[in-house]
Amino acid sequence: MKTALEQRGKLDKSTKISHFNPGSDRETYLVQPDTRLTPDSCLIPTTYTIALHSAPTAHAILDAVASVLLPSLHPEDPTTIHLALALRSSSPLARPRKNSLLLHSIQHWLATLPLPLLTTLPPVPTLLALHPWTYTLYPSLLLLPPTTFTSAPWPALLAGPLAPHLPTLYTYICASLSVTHIALNAPIPLHTSLSPSNLLISKTLNTLRSPTALTPLHGAFGPLEPPSPVAFARALWVSTTQHGVQQTWAPLHTMFSRGNISEKARILRMPSLRAERLGCEPRACSAVDLYAGIGYFAFCYAKAGVGRVLGWEINPWSVEGLRRGVGRNAEGWGVRIMEEGEELEEEWEQGGERVLVFQEDNQHAGARVQAMRSRIPPVRHVNCGFLPSSAPSWPVAVRVLDPALGGWVHAHENIAVGDIESRKADIVARFDALAKPDDAADPRRIVRCEHLERVKSYAPGVVHCVLDIHIAPPQNHVPDADAGVATIRTLMSNPTHLTAEAL
């Protein structure tokens, strides 16, 4: 081949013949369809030229060159010759992740740009090396981090000459990663303003944890509209499975925190959910989640075997996601959604729903649980999963715990790394004050922090922590509590016979 090119004056003697180096950080090769370069591929540079009568793509250039080069060389086996267009950078650069399907999609997209446009851009390896090209993938949805395409010159290029070609890029990405929707992710803002998608917000604090900064790029996410059965039907819903638990949410209206996965795993194996610590099987007790969301932690309590899981959530979109999520899990938990002011009918506990969600402020939880004590197993666990601080829910959490048996409150807090021990002491003191009996003559409950879990970094120098606060009954009340546990254990050996009178 070298001889044939040399005889025809088409060998580029200014560039050495070499073998393909897949680890090269200087060149990116655009090849013909169905062509794969390997370390055994021999790269022979040529000086063929082609007249441009339009704005062909790089792949069209390759096909045009092939139609001129191959017939002129008369090779014995044309199938052994393939063309590669080398896009060279003037200096070595760190190569992006080789296995990134997103990177490959962007690389392929750049190769299809009209050549006159491509030649005006910075070298392709330079463009590709500006980002790590990470992403989060859920079935049907690709979430790009907020830093995607933020390094110069990408913003100017995407807003300018590359803007008309973005639909093609999204098409390539969807095909490569098997998704139908793409969005630019962003942190959940602590504050928000009124908008058509969250008309129920009356304060600037983003108590609904709405993902107002999420930017859809491709696909129909549904209109921004108030929650309703019609809106639910028109919205995009996605699901994922963590530790065997499926969860569902509408990404345009509801947050999903992947960072909570370690805390979910901890709940599933938590010693205080075992019979040795509870004094009964988990199915003989209840758990309360005061910030239920789409079921982040509520589902984990259900999967761990807790008999009844009660949740409070004010975001209708989250409640709908929770309802759908229960249906996707194979355990057959069953779910009942209660509106504010709605009362449970007398025969509710015979319906079999293990998950009961109140779509109302969690400040109603104390009165709700108090009215239901004779109809549900004793509440032994309360989850307070709100950041930056769950402190407003602590008085309610202490109130809903079973007064005879006590239990655990799991308080979520953002704490500065240097303040963890002092804040831990302050929080224990706060719970000790909340657990103080109304009558000073009555014995005090015993409050201590059994464990502090550092879940994840929230910000530089700030850690998302969960404190497991154990509130035990007064020592002289323990015999009565044990008797109650024994009764519950006997009843739950056949849960269908659990009655209000027996409890």
Side-chain angles (χ1 to χ4, degrees):
M1 180 58 64
K2 173 189 173 184
T3 302
L5 289 170
E6 197 169 24
Q7 289 175 347
R8 290 163 178 75
K10 297 299 182 180
L11 178 67
D12 182 4
K13 297 184 178 181
S14 66
T15 303
K16 291 183 178 181
I17 297 175
S18 62
H19 285 280
F20 171 64
N21 178 9
S24 171
D25 56 9
R26 288 179 176 269
E27 298 179 341
T28 295
Y29 294 96
L30 305 179
V31 299
Q32 292 173 299
D34 302 323
T35 296
R36 182 180 179 183
L37 296 177
T38 70
D40 293 329
S41 301
C42 189
L43 303 177
I44 306 176
T46 75
T47 58
Y48 276 92
T49 60
I50 184 171
L52 299 178
H53 301 291
S54 59
T57 65
H59 285 159
I61 291 291
L62 290 172
D63 292 339
V65 172
S67 66
V68 173
L69 183 146
L70 295 180
S72 69
L73 294 177
H74 305 292
E76 295 181 0
D77 184 3
T79 62
T80 63
I81 301 176
H82 304 282
L83 300 178
L85 175 62
L87 304 176
R88 297 177 179 175
S89 172
S90 58
S91 62
L93 292 168
R95 196 173 185 84
R97 282 197 307 128
K98 298 177 184 177
N99 296 328
S100 172
L101 294 177
L102 177 62
L103 168 64
H104 295 162
S105 300
I106 297 172
Q107 190 173 7
H108 179 62
W109 171 62
L110 290 171
T112 64
L113 295 173
L115 194 61
L117 172 58
L118 187 61
T119 56
T120 66
L121 303 179
V124 170
T126 302
L127 290 174
L128 297 179
L130 293 174
H131 288 290
W133 306 112
T134 58
Y135 54 86
T136 302
L137 191 63
Y138 300 108
S140 80
L141 174 64
L142 171 70
L143 284 180
L144 300 174
T147 55
T148 304
F149 294 125
T150 56
S151 298
W154 277 109
L157 292 176
L158 295 179
L162 295 183
H165 304 277
L166 282 176
T168 303
L169 169 62
Y170 299 146
T171 299
Y172 287 156
I173 292 175
C174 287
S176 179
L177 281 83
S178 300
V179 297
T180 55
H181 295 72
I182 306 172
L184 195 64
N185 205 3
I188 302 297
L190 292 179
H191 297 85
T192 188
S193 58
L194 289 172
S195 73
S197 67
N198 49 31
L199 294 178
L200 297 181
I201 299 178
S202 58
K203 299 180 180 180
T204 56
L205 183 65
N206 187 10
T207 54
L208 300 191
R209 287 297 185 258
S210 300
T212 56
L214 185 100
T215 304
L217 299 177
H218 180 79
F221 284 72
L224 286 170
E225 56 186 334
S228 69
V230 173
F232 296 154
R234 295 197 289 199
L236 169 69
W237 295 89
V238 298
S239 299
T240 191
T241 301
Q242 294 181 326
H243 303 299
V245 177
Q246 292 199 45
Q247 294 178 314
T248 302
W249 72 102
L252 195 61
H253 305 277
T254 312
M255 66 170 284
F256 179 77
S257 177
R258 294 175 64 245
N260 288 330
I261 187 170
S262 62
E263 181 62 11
K264 295 173 185 176
R266 193 174 76 92
I267 291 175
L268 292 172
R269 63 174 187 271
M270 195 174 286
S272 56
L273 277 173
R274 296 174 183 169
E276 300 81 46
R277 291 299 311 277
L278 289 170
C280 63
E281 294 299 323
R283 58 181 177 168
C285 69
S286 297
V288 168
D289 189 346
L290 292 176
Y291 301 94
I294 62 172
Y296 291 116
F297 304 119
F299 288 2
C300 293
Y301 286 109
K303 188 173 181 63
V306 171
R308 299 278 191 188
V309 180
L310 283 64
W312 271 261
E313 176 56 48
I314 59 174
N315 187 343
W317 287 97
S318 296
V319 173
E320 176 64 11
L322 187 151
R323 185 190 68 79
R324 293 176 180 232
V326 168
R328 292 182 66 90
N329 283 278
E331 283 81 355
W333 299 326
V335 62
R336 174 72 179 274
I337 309 297
M338 300 289 295
E339 302 285 345
E340 184 172 355
E342 184 180 355
E343 297 295 334
L344 282 172
E345 60 273 14
E346 289 297 328
E347 64 277 8
W348 163 75
E349 57 266 29
Q350 300 176 12
E353 296 97 349
R354 289 179 56 199
V355 180
L356 179 61
V357 179
F358 296 89
Q359 189 173 305
E360 60 186 16
D361 194 295
N362 59 24
Q363 295 303 307
H364 298 294
R368 286 278 197 183
V369 172
Q370 191 63 31
M372 298 172 61
R373 289 220 188 265
S374 64
R375 307 174 65 184
I376 61 173
V379 175
R380 305 299 306 281
H381 281 264
V382 183
N383 201 80
C384 305
F386 189 83
L387 296 177
S389 174
S390 62
S393 67
W394 296 349
V396 176
V398 173
R399 183 181 178 188
V400 300
L401 274 179
D402 188 82
L405 303 176
W408 293 262
V409 176
H410 307 284
H412 292 237
E413 286 289 293
N414 282 347
I415 305 177
V417 174
D419 298 337
I420 289 179
E421 288 304 316
S422 60
R423 283 288 293 134
K424 173 182 173 181
D426 292 343
I427 292 171
V428 171
R430 173 76 186 281
F431 274 97
D432 186 61
L434 291 171
K436 185 183 301 183
D438 295 333
D439 189 338
D442 291 340
R444 294 175 65 98
R445 288 184 281 182
I446 303 169
V447 178
R448 67 187 183 94
C449 180
E450 283 195 347
H451 176 73
L452 186 148
E453 181 74 12
R454 301 189 185 198
V455 179
K456 62 179 183 288
S457 174
Y458 186 85
V462 179
V463 180
H464 171 189
C465 298
V466 179
L467 292 86
D468 298 336
I469 305 296
H470 184 223
I471 302 178
Q475 290 295 334
N476 59 350
H477 282 205
V478 171
D480 293 338
D482 287 344
V485 171
T487 301
I488 293 168
R489 184 185 295 113
T490 301
L491 289 168
M492 290 307 293
S493 64
N494 190 345
T496 59
H497 296 303
L498 186 63
T499 64
E501 293 77 8
L503 284 173

